């Protein structure tokens, strides 16, 4: 497999954002908004904002762009097809903590600082509608139905959580209902706009619940702690059974709920009961057909490959990484250069590894072909590299998303046709688990040299892309796993 890479372009602040039609890409350079053609990357539009841009978002018409300057409490909107058109939202002393478009593209939603209110500004007549007491100011609890007709709004008033369903046509409350949670963490519409999934914060040790838009409880998925994982004993008070992640499948037929007990439960939309319980253990034992791919770097001489042959696989199997290696075998040649580069003398005369020198030597050897990166298929049972993390004690309104999900299932992603489910677990942060949801079994595990930063499915194919903050992009498909080098010096991939 090969990928084409463009030249590098300067950007600051938020990640670049593609327009919904895929024709344009928006980037921020300090306080400048720059729009480029997605094919040629030629600049087609440029405007200055009042301050450094912190958030960029396209409207559904792929013509209007929202730029948020949270530190200034301002939001500015521009039109790609009209250099003269612009709009500005100023919340005054209340400030702006979060901003987004409505599905119709004619209104801008702003959550003020200190979670005072949600403001819905019309770009047509400059009118504004207020909704009091949003629970979050980071985008959570603010979800439009896929058909664009309703907004699910999580409200916290007098220490009680509730969900408001707001009609997006006239911005009136269509329904309001309390939820059976201790500390509501989020609310998400199903892809068919017929139900709303809510779940408790992980520390609450509660599960996920499904509600109809009028407030009827449709089903509940609550981890009970009866896990086959020996590290999760029901009688152990330290057992973690709260929900960390909830994701609807692409077609809306399934809901995956990841828990702190390192298990992901999948619920169907007919009975709203779990039909799959996917566990993440420290060792991969079964099924016999599972493929465990481990990224490693081996010396060309030991592989029986001359350094010149590295060019044949440079598109897939060669790269440089910023961090010190974990799976690199030490050079046994006993050369003075290796000793000088890797070991330093301390006061007691013992050798101490210098990570900077290790990384520098690794980079040189990758460039020269002395080290050849590749995937190795591990035999079963295969032990995975683990990392112990201390969970944060922060909870409730003061908890950040990263703080309340430092254990258990940390990421969930469905393939475009719901055939595969990709997950990651905080205890094994370098591994990506890929599940076959037709046979309800594990089909592959990818073990990287660095912690997994992000992964996303191809919107049209069963192909998963993974990045780890290194200079490699990893790709899995049912045919196998591979990776390519990013041929840009110093460029590391952290998001997709």
């Amino acid at each position: 497999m090969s990928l084409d890479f463009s030249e590098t372009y300067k950007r600051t602040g938020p990640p670049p954002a593609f327009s919904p039609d895929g024709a344009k890409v928006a980037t921020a350079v300090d306080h400048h908004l720059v729009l480029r053609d997605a094919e040629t990357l030629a600049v087609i539009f440029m405007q200055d904002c009042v301050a450094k841009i912190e958030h960029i978002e396209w409207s559904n018409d792929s013509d209007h762009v929202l730029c948020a300057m949270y530190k200034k409490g301002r939001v500015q909107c521009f039109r790609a097809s009209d250099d003269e058109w612009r709009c500005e939202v100023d919340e005054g002393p209340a400030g702006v903590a979060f901003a987004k478009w409505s599905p119709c593209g004619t209104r801008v939603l702003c959550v003020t600082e200190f979670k005072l209110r949600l403001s819905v500004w019309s770009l047509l007549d400059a009118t504004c509608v207020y909704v009091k007491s949003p629970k979050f100011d980071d985008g959570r609890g603010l979800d439009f139905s896929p058909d664009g007709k309703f907004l699910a709004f999580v409200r916290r008033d007098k220490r009680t959580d509730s969900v408001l369903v707001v009609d997006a046509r006239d911005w009136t409350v269509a329904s309001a209902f309390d939820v059976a949670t201790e500390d509501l963490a989020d609310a998400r519409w199903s892809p068919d706009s017929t139900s709303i999934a809510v779940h408790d914060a992980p520390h609450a040790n509660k599960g996920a619940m499904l509600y109809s838009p009028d407030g009827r409880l449709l089903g509940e998925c609550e981890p009970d702690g009866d896990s086959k994982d020996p590290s999760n004993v029901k009688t152990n008070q330290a057992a973690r059974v709260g929900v960390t992640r909830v994701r609807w499948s692409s077609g809306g037929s399934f809901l995956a709920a990841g828990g702190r007990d390192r298990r992901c439960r999948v619920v169907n939309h007919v009975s709203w009961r779990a039909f799959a319980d996917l566990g993440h253990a420290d060792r991969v034992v079964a099924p016999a057909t599972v493929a465990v791919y481990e990224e490693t770097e081996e010396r060309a001489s030991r592989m029986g490959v001359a350094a010149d042959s590295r060019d044949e696989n440079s598109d897939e199997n060669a790269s440089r990484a910023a961090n010190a290696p974990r799976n690199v075998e030490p050079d046994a040649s006993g050369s003075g250069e290796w000793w000088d580069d890797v070991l330093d003398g301390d006061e007691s005369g013992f050798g101490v590894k210098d990570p900077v020198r290790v990384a520098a030597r690794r980079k040189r050897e990758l460039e020269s072909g002395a080290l050849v990166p590749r995937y190795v298929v591990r035999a079963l049972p295969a032990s995975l590299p683990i990392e112990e993390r201390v969970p944060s004690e922060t909870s409730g309104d003061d908890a950040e998303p990263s703080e309340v999900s430092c254990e258990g299932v940390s990421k969930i992603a469905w393939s475009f046709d719901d055939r595969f489910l990709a997950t990651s677990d905080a205890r094994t942060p370098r591994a990506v688990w890929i599940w076959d949801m037709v046979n309800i079994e594990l089909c592959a595990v990818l073990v990287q040299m660095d912690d997994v930063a992000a992964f996303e499915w191809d919107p049209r194919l069963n192909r998963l892309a993974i990045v780890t903050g290194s200079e490699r992009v990893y790709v899995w498909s049912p045919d196998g796993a591979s990776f390519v080098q990013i041929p840009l010096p110093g460029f590391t991939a952290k998001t997709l």
Side-chain angles (χ1 to χ4, degrees):
M1 187 194 71
S2 62
L3 297 177
D4 295 328
F5 293 88
S6 69
E7 299 178 4
T8 58
Y9 296 92
K10 182 179 179 181
R11 68 99 180 166
T12 59
F18 280 92
S19 59
D21 61 6
K24 298 180 282 292
V25 59
T27 57
V29 182
D30 294 325
H31 64 284
H32 306 290
L33 171 66
V34 181
L35 305 185
R36 297 179 182 272
D37 182 276
E39 287 292 332
T40 65
L41 293 180
V43 176
I44 59 176
F45 181 90
M46 183 180 294
Q47 285 287 357
D48 292 342
C49 295
V50 296
K52 185 176 180 179
I53 301 171
E54 299 176 64
H55 174 66
I56 296 176
E57 183 179 332
W58 286 91
S59 67
N60 287 339
D61 62 6
S62 298
D63 191 28
H64 294 78
V65 186
L66 177 151
C67 298
M69 289 69 66
Y70 297 135
K71 293 181 180 178
K72 277 283 187 179
R74 304 275 189 89
V75 175
Q76 289 184 283
C77 303
F78 302 95
R79 188 175 183 180
S81 60
D82 186 354
D83 292 347
E84 301 298 325
W85 188 93
R86 65 185 61 200
C87 177
E88 181 173 331
V89 175
D90 186 353
E91 288 283 355
V96 177
F98 179 78
K100 67 176 297 181
W101 286 105
S102 67
C104 63
T106 61
R107 293 180 182 268
V108 174
L109 282 67
C110 297
V111 179
T112 62
E113 293 182 349
F114 308 109
K115 309 168 190 175
L116 297 177
R117 65 174 184 255
L118 168 69
S119 304
V120 184
W121 293 89
S122 172
L123 303 187
L124 300 178
D125 54 14
T127 59
C128 184
V129 177
Y130 296 112
V131 184
K132 294 182 179 180
S133 306
K135 182 172 183 179
F136 305 106
D137 59 3
D138 56 6
R140 291 181 294 161
L142 199 65
D143 189 45
F144 282 98
S145 58
D147 59 15
K149 295 180 179 180
F150 297 98
L151 169 70
F153 175 79
V154 174
R155 181 178 183 181
R156 186 166 182 84
D157 186 27
K158 298 179 181 179
R159 303 190 65 83
T160 301
D161 295 333
S162 60
V163 174
L164 303 185
V165 178
V166 180
D167 191 324
R169 291 165 293 189
D170 55 11
W171 298 98
T172 58
V173 177
S175 67
F177 53 92
D178 294 336
V179 291
T181 58
E182 297 178 14
D183 187 5
L184 182 58
D186 204 357
R188 294 289 172 183
W189 284 93
S190 62
D192 59 3
S193 302
T194 60
S195 56
I196 302 172
V198 304
H199 68 93
D200 236 327
H203 66 269
N205 291 343
K206 297 282 286 185
M209 283 144 279
L210 289 304
Y211 286 90
S212 65
D214 60 3
R216 289 178 293 113
L217 181 63
L218 301 176
E220 188 172 357
C221 176
E222 184 171 349
D224 56 10
D226 290 330
S227 170
K228 296 180 181 179
D229 186 349
S231 64
N232 180 21
V233 181
K234 188 174 182 180
T235 58
N236 184 356
Q237 294 182 355
R240 308 295 187 183
V241 294
V243 172
T244 58
R245 290 288 185 273
V246 170
R247 290 291 182 274
W248 285 102
S249 65
S250 304
S253 299
F254 311 113
L255 178 71
R260 294 174 73 186
D261 58 355
R262 306 181 65 194
R263 308 191 72 82
C264 182
R265 296 162 179 84
V266 184
V267 179
N268 70 73
H269 76 298
V270 178
S271 64
W272 297 117
R273 293 187 178 181
F275 69 92
D277 190 352
L278 313 175
H280 302 72
D282 296 343
R283 299 177 72 211
V284 179
V285 179
T289 55
V290 65
V292 180
Y293 300 93
E294 182 173 16
E295 180 191 10
T296 186
E297 293 171 351
E298 299 181 2
R299 298 197 175 278
S301 59
R302 297 188 179 185
M303 297 175 59
V305 180
D308 294 340
S309 66
R310 176 176 176 271
D311 294 337
E312 299 177 2
N313 299 319
S314 60
D315 286 341
E316 294 188 12
N317 298 329
S319 79
R320 301 178 299 275
N323 299 322
R326 292 189 176 101
N327 295 337
V328 180
E329 297 183 9
D331 189 353
S333 63
S335 65
E337 181 185 357
W338 174 85
W339 181 271
D340 292 339
D341 279 354
V342 179
L343 301 180
D344 289 332
D346 60 9
E347 295 178 351
S348 59
F350 292 98
V352 178
K353 287 188 177 181
D354 183 349
V356 176
R357 291 188 177 184
V358 171
R361 179 174 178 82
R362 175 177 176 237
K363 181 178 180 179
R364 292 197 302 269
E365 292 185 338
L366 286 168
E367 291 175 342
S368 66
L371 279 181
V372 179
R374 66 186 185 120
Y375 269 129
V376 176
V377 179
R378 296 271 302 276
L380 299 182
S383 297
L384 303 179
I386 63 174
E387 179 176 335
E388 297 287 354
R389 299 188 179 185
V390 179
S392 170
E393 296 298 328
T394 307
S395 62
D397 291 345
D398 297 328
E400 296 294 334
S402 60
E403 294 176 335
V404 297
S405 58
C406 62
E407 57 184 343
V409 178
S410 55
K411 299 180 182 68
I412 301 175
W414 288 90
S415 63
F416 81 104
D417 59 357
D418 301 343
R419 171 67 189 271
F420 296 101
L421 178 68
T423 61
S424 64
D425 170 55
R427 182 174 168 85
T428 54
R430 290 161 52 191
V432 176
W433 306 64
I434 302 174
W435 308 85
D436 183 342
M437 297 309 297
V438 173
N439 300 311
I440 317 297
E441 65 179 13
L442 183 66
C443 64
V445 178
L446 278 66
V447 184
Q448 312 301 139
M449 293 182 64
D450 301 288
D451 291 357
V452 175
F455 54 75
E456 293 287 346
W457 287 97
D458 187 317
R460 298 180 180 177
L461 299 173
N462 284 321
R463 184 168 57 183
L464 182 71
I466 305 168
V467 294
T468 63
S470 68
E471 295 178 341
R472 295 171 187 160
V473 177
Y474 308 85
V475 178
W476 177 90
S477 72
D479 296 329
S482 62
F483 52 86
V484 296
Q485 174 191 356
I486 301 175
L488 304 170
F491 189 98
T492 57
K494 299 179 181 179
T495 61
L496 289 167

